[in-house]
Amino acid sequence: MAKPIARIRLVEIVFLLAVTAVVVRAGQLQIVEGGRWSREAASKRTIHDTMPARRGTIFDRNGAPLALTQEFYHLGIAPNEIIDRAELFRLVARNLGIPASRLQRDVRKGKSYLYYNGPFTAQQVDAIRSLRGVHLEAQYNRFYPALSLARPIIGGLQPDGKHGASGLEFALDSLLTGRPGERVLLRDLQGREYESPSRVVREPVPGYDVVLSLDNELQEIAENGLSDAIRSMHADGGDVVFYDPRNGELLAVASFKTEPNGSITARASGFTDPFEPGSTAKLFTAAALLMHGRVRETDAEFAENGVWMLPISSTEQRKITDAHVSRGSLTLAQAIEVSSNIVMAKFSARLSQEEHYDALRDFGFGSPTGVEYPSESRGRLARPDQWKPALSRASIAMGYEFGVTPVQLAAAYGAIANDGILLSPTLVREVRSPEGGVAYRRQPEPVRRAVTPEVATRLRQYLQGAVGEGGTGEKAQLANYTLMGKTGTAVRFEDGHYVKGEYTASFAAVFPADDPQLVVIVKIDNPQGDYYGGSTAGPLTRNMLQQALASRQVAIDRSRLMVREVATQTPPVAEEVVTHPVVSVSWPYRPVSTAANPRQPVPPVVGEPVRRGVAQLHRRGFQVILHGLGKIARISPASGDSVRFGATIVVWAE
């Protein structure tokens, strides 16, 4: 009997030990290691997925999208979740273009999950979004509707498509990039993933939208005009800047370079590549002379008949020449008008190196403008203690030995147009929140007063003379509106030395003359043939402004282009002149008859008193823009030119 009892006891002990081991192991798994195994099970059953956020849209000033993010979808269908299979297949076939026969064939194959890459747009999937069994995977793609327009400025994204790599996409990345969301996906034993709407941890937040100051249509005018000019002139490249001097907004910036194979590629050199401005910089030397009271209106310097040997030291001289040879002496205004290197070099001797340097710095040269474009160049301007005595001062007065970017030059001319206040240029007009509200609206940002209003007025008068009859920029003048401007032609400076036989042609314009709305900078690199700025950059400026005026979308306030009425009393004069008060009226002026003679010559009024000359012009049916008082010194178009009725005659008097 003892043996069976012993066996039973042994079985009981073994069973008890086994139960104890199971209980201990269960306690270990559930109590000691429970958290770890629970986390491991959850990690295999669920997936934490990042939900991408929509990148903010970049608009032009008129609301046209320049860079936007479009949402695309990949489609997944779980057949076992479908309630109405026929309805689902019908909607998918109609909206997504996937044949219903293909859907049925895929289901018959026994697939538990159907995947269709697409990608499909949000509009396509909208009709099936809420149906059971439909699983949509969102994907964002960056799209540039304007294609190549302003692309060097807009920039692009990194290969991962998440962050900016260049241009404004890079500079404004922190604003444009949204905050990603997070969701939990369920996974079955086969590893298939299922989205659970109730398990979204955090919704994605879209990025901010940015409204630029760029004008889409004006940018197109600038790019087309510049590329055509580069081709026709066989130039190495060039830049165009349209700038609003009233608020510092950049309306268009176009830059191209000719490649060795003859193709033309877009760049952003308007912000990054300084050039020696040549005669367009003579105005800033004039500003320094006027601000320090070193020149009077009647002061004049001898023009040396176009050739002058500048004494640098007791043994060294430098030859300075004028492209437009002048006889006798020239005042500062006349030197600007005919762009005399010799006279400007002589006038600059009245300034100390420090005074000359400070004036250039006051106009923003030698320091970055602060525009939002990344890697903006500060230009090149040596400190006055590094200048060569006599030589550097004369060179800088002629626009050499320092470098400016086209955007810097636009801002400096904007200060002259804006009564002496230098503004910081900008590409950003507004920043809008994802909800559509305005988070930031840019206001004009004054940097400093470069010159007094009185000096700015005098400088604008110099610019008017430079584009008037006999000025170097007369080919840029418009028929119905008056602009101010200054030409520039400089030997090209590259890789630390001047390139013989190659030139940079430029033109700086302010439009219109009486109430500036635009500053236009045009630079042409190494044009072939006639390389002077007045013959290359000047006419291009005129052509682009004409196109801008012909477009009703461009950011020009046409109500301010109306000619202001100027009334003067006319005393009784000879019978051929009207005896009633003479009034300069706004267009349209309606002559008695225009059908019989649609064009007629401009009468000879130069030398006549303003009142008598204006009266004669009005009697012929012309519109008049008057500058100055006294006797008429010159007019444009010139006397004897045949022009149409109603054309504008610009009259300069002194």
Side-chain angles (χ1 to χ4, degrees), residues 29-280:
L29 292 175
Q30 295 184 38
I31 299 174
V32 179
E33 300 178 358
R36 180 172 66 87
W37 291 111
S38 176
R39 290 190 296 270
E40 185 174 337
S43 66
K44 292 184 177 180
R45 185 172 57 88
T46 62
I47 300 174
H48 287 268
D49 183 45
T50 299
M51 301 170 65
R54 179 185 65 82
R55 189 172 178 85
T57 302
I58 299 177
F59 299 96
D60 89 324
R61 66 186 300 112
N62 299 314
L66 298 174
L68 58 86
T69 296
Q70 290 186 327
E71 190 174 18
F72 294 92
Y73 294 88
H74 306 297
L75 172 64
I77 298 177
N80 62 324
E81 300 177 9
I82 301 174
I83 297 177
D84 189 343
R85 183 172 297 180
E87 176 68 8
L88 173 61
F89 287 1
R90 183 182 66 83
L91 290 175
V92 170
R94 186 176 69 182
N95 292 280
L96 274 62
I98 302 175
S101 59
R102 177 186 172 187
L103 295 169
Q104 294 169 356
R105 185 170 61 252
D106 290 343
V107 171
R108 285 197 299 268
K109 290 180 180 179
K111 294 181 178 180
S112 59
Y113 192 79
L114 311 180
Y115 182 81
Y116 303 95
N117 184 69
F120 307 103
T121 65
Q123 184 178 5
Q124 287 178 297
V125 304
D126 189 59
I128 64 171
R129 189 186 295 271
S130 59
L131 297 180
R132 287 288 301 275
V134 172
H135 302 271
L136 297 173
E137 179 184 343
Q139 176 186 3
Y140 290 106
N141 288 339
R142 197 63 164 171
F143 179 60
Y144 300 92
L147 301 180
S148 62
L149 190 71
R151 277 306 301 277
I153 301 174
I154 303 303
L157 302 183
Q158 295 178 4
D160 61 7
K162 295 181 180 179
H163 298 286
S166 62
L168 293 178
E169 291 274 32
F170 174 77
L172 306 177
D173 189 65
S174 60
L175 289 173
L176 296 169
T177 302
R179 187 179 65 192
E182 186 179 356
R183 62 180 175 178
V184 176
L185 298 177
L186 305 180
R187 182 163 55 186
D188 62 13
L189 294 177
Q190 285 72 37
R192 294 188 297 265
E193 298 175 0
Y194 300 94
E195 183 178 356
S196 176
S198 62
R199 297 176 71 85
V200 174
V201 178
R202 183 178 67 248
E203 291 286 351
V205 178
Y208 283 79
D209 296 333
V210 177
V211 180
L212 301 183
S213 60
L214 294 179
D215 186 302
N216 213 352
E217 192 161 355
L218 192 57
Q219 179 73 25
E220 185 174 8
I221 290 172
E223 290 189 7
N224 291 341
L226 179 60
S227 61
D228 290 345
I230 291 173
R231 289 188 179 93
S232 64
M233 300 174 191
H234 304 286
D236 291 350
D239 303 275
V240 169
V241 177
F242 280 83
Y243 174 80
D244 190 335
R246 300 166 297 180
N247 50 34
E249 292 180 350
L250 289 165
L251 305 178
V253 182
S255 303
F256 291 104
K257 178 182 180 181
T258 302
E259 301 295 342
N261 62 5
S263 63
I264 296 178
T265 57
R267 302 186 301 161
S269 55
F271 302 95
T272 60
D273 293 7
F275 71 103
E276 294 198 343
S279 295
T280 57

Side-chain angles (χ1 to χ4, degrees), residues 596-612:
N597 185 17
R599 300 180 71 87
Q600 65 171 325
V602 177
V605 295
V606 174
E608 296 282 347
V610 163
R611 289 176 293 183
R612 180 177 298 179

Side-chain angles (χ1 to χ4, degrees), residues 330-404:
L330 299 177
T331 64
L332 183 60
Q334 292 168 334
I336 297 291
E337 181 177 328
V338 300
S339 200
S340 172
N341 292 330
I342 295 171
V343 174
M344 289 305 301
K346 289 185 174 183
F347 273 123
S348 69
R350 304 184 183 192
L351 294 168
S352 69
Q353 294 180 170
E354 290 74 18
E355 291 170 339
H356 207 168
Y357 172 84
D358 288 343
L360 296 176
R361 290 284 291 179
D362 285 345
F363 278 101
F365 301 132
S367 60
T369 65
V371 69
E372 295 82 1
Y373 191 84
S375 303
E376 182 201 9
S377 172
R378 66 188 305 118
R380 178 170 50 87
L381 178 62
R383 298 193 309 269
D385 61 335
Q386 298 173 339
W387 291 14
K388 300 174 183 177
L391 178 60
S392 291
R393 192 163 49 217
S395 295
I396 289 174
M398 296 183 290
Y400 289 97
E401 285 197 27
F402 73 106
V404 304

